[in-house]
Amino acid sequence: MGEVSSSSAVLLPYALSSVAVARQRICSDLRQWGVYDTAVDDAVLVVSELLSNALRHAHPLPSGQVEVAWHRVDGHVEVAVSDGGATTEPRAAVPALSSLGGRGLGIVEFLAERWGVRYEGEVTTVWAVVACPQSMNGLAQNSDVPALQE
C-alpha cells in the first residue's frame, strides 16, 4: 500500500516571531501524520534555519510576508521557504569557531538528504528534503508520553 502525500503552506509575517509559528505548525503536522519524533525534530530545525536565513538575508515577498511550505511523500518531507530574494545567493559557509552565525545552511546540509534554491521571477525558494519515516503503527512516537503497559 502506497503512502498518502500530505502538504501544508502558510504565509507568515516578515518577522522573527514567525520562526516559532512555523516550527509549531510543521511539528504539529508531522506528528499528526505519524512521523517519528527524531525525524520531526530534524524537519523542525531545517525549517527554523531556512526561515531564519530568509528573515536575516532576504527581502519579503511583495505581500510583505514569507511563505513556508512542506510536502510529505514516500517517507520524506520537502520543506521550502519562499521570499523576495536577496543580493547574494544562499550557500553553506564554513564559519570560524568564534563566529556567532553562519552555520544555518551547514546544519541544513547535514540534516537534509539534499537542498537547493529555485528562482521564479522575483521569488526565491530555498528547499530541503529530509527523511521523515512514519512509525509502524502510523502514530507518532512521542517521548513525552509514557508507554502503555500491556
Side-chain angles (χ1 to χ4, degrees):
M1 180 165 90
E3 182 179 313
V4 176
S5 70
S6 306
S7 61
S8 290
V10 60
L11 283 170
L12 297 168
Y14 185 78
L16 288 176
S17 60
S18 293
V19 176
V21 174
R23 289 173 59 98
Q24 188 279 326
R25 292 282 302 270
I26 190 171
C27 180
S28 177
D29 278 0
L30 292 178
R31 285 190 172 157
Q32 184 177 19
W33 298 338
V35 173
Y36 279 106
D37 276 353
T38 54
V40 171
D41 292 344
D42 288 350
V44 167
L45 182 53
V46 168
V47 163
S48 180
E49 294 298 337
L50 295 181
L51 183 52
S52 295
N53 281 351
L55 294 170
R56 176 174 284 132
H57 302 291
H59 301 288
L61 295 166
S63 66
Q65 300 170 304
V66 290
E67 181 181 57
V68 181
W70 49 96
H71 177 75
R72 183 172 183 278
V73 65
D74 294 332
H76 294 83
V77 65
E78 179 180 312
V79 298
V81 174
S82 298
D83 57 50
T87 57
T88 59
E89 182 170 327
R91 60 180 169 76
V94 181
L97 291 176
S98 60
S99 294
L100 297 177
R103 292 173 180 80
L105 287 177
I107 292 169
V108 170
E109 197 168 71
F110 179 78
L111 294 175
E113 293 185 357
R114 61 190 179 279
W115 73 277
V117 183
R118 288 190 295 262
Y119 299 97
E120 300 169 35
E122 294 184 21
V123 175
T124 299
T125 301
V126 183
W127 57 270
V129 175
V130 179
C132 281
Q134 189 173 22
S135 68
M136 296 300 273
N137 62 6
L139 300 174
Q141 303 297 309
N142 188 337
S143 57
D144 297 332
V145 178
L148 295 175
Q149 301 296 320
E150 291 188 32

